[in-house]
Amino acid sequence: MVETLAQRAGMDSAGLLALLDGRAPAPRQPEPAAPRRVRRTARPTSRPSPVRHAVSLLLQRPDLAQVAGDPQRFEELKVPGVTLLRQMLELLQARPHLSTAVVLEHWRDSEEGRHLFNLARHALGLDEEADLEAEFRDTLELLDRRCEQQRRDARQRELQSRFATLSQAERQELRELLSAGGAKGEGP
């Protein structure tokens, strides 16, 4: 029982018995402290998706929505978050004076609001001299290319599904789509 109590007290049994008998135990040498671990925040090893990046840029600079053009061009784009990006662009284009705080408040009690809040808290990982407008335009251009690629892919699938009934012009279009398919690696 003494050994169990000594273990729980973090001392040896002789020291515990000495303490219980009223004798002071020999001073204990402090154990060297375990080395402290430095907690590092995980850095993403890959670049965020273009939609996530565009949303992050808008949260940093809501005025960028004014250079975005028509948000409806992304309506058919099938990537996560594009609906939120489109809604943000529409809101900020209609009300260009809105700040980041008002944008976050607009989506506060929604799932999107939780994601927006997290994005707003994190740094973009761009240097201070970065031209955010050029970065935003480049990101939207990438989304435009993805949109166009999705349209071509959908048209190609549609033509291939009814190959036997294609007109001569449609067969030519399919050939062009198939030959352009080799250039897919150049895009997003």
Side-chain angles (χ1 to χ4, degrees):
M1 184 160 118
V2 171
E3 285 182 25
T4 305
L5 188 57
Q7 282 178 343
R8 287 188 179 176
M11 51 193 324
D12 62 15
S13 50
L16 179 62
L17 286 173
L19 187 61
L20 291 174
D21 287 339
R23 296 175 286 146
R28 242 175 89 190
Q29 294 295 325
E31 292 181 26
R36 295 181 75 196
R37 290 187 179 175
V38 177
R39 177 176 268 184
R40 297 176 192 239
T41 56
R43 286 190 164 184
T45 56
S46 63
R47 189 173 162 98
S49 76
V51 171
R52 184 181 184 100
H53 191 58
V55 167
S56 294
L57 288 166
L58 280 174
L59 287 170
Q60 297 299 314
R61 291 246 334 257
D63 63 298
L64 290 173
Q66 303 314 307
V67 300
D70 183 14
Q72 291 305 312
R73 71 183 191 264
F74 301 123
E75 188 169 10
E76 294 178 25
L77 187 60
K78 306 279 190 274
V79 293
V82 76
T83 301
L84 177 60
L85 173 61
R86 216 176 57 245
Q87 290 171 347
M88 284 181 73
L89 289 170
E90 290 168 353
L91 174 70
L92 291 168
Q93 286 176 352
R95 299 171 62 191
H97 62 282
L98 295 183
S99 67
T100 299
V102 175
V103 171
L104 292 173
E105 181 64 23
H106 181 80
W107 275 282
R108 181 180 58 174
D109 293 326
S110 67
E111 185 68 19
E112 292 89 350
R114 188 174 62 79
H115 292 297
L116 289 174
F117 181 76
N118 286 332
L119 285 175
R121 286 186 2 208
H122 297 291
L124 289 172
L126 301 173
D127 63 23
E128 291 179 20
E129 300 299 317
D131 182 355
L132 294 185
E133 184 174 329
E135 183 78 18
F136 185 67
R137 287 178 189 266
D138 290 348
T139 302
L140 293 183
E141 186 178 306
L142 179 59
L143 289 171
D144 286 334
R145 287 195 309 264
R146 284 192 180 178
C147 215
E148 184 56 36
Q149 184 63 48
Q150 282 185 0
R151 278 190 212 102
R152 281 194 307 266
D153 291 348
R155 179 66 176 156
Q156 180 179 331
R157 283 190 303 275
E158 188 258 328
L159 290 172
Q160 286 175 322
S161 72
R162 53 185 192 86
F163 183 77
T165 62
L166 293 181
S167 69
Q168 202 60 20
E170 289 172 323
R171 285 177 188 251
Q172 179 60 34
E173 181 185 358
L174 180 58
R175 274 194 284 291
E176 290 170 6
L177 287 169
L178 289 171
S179 67
K184 272 186 191 177
E186 297 172 10

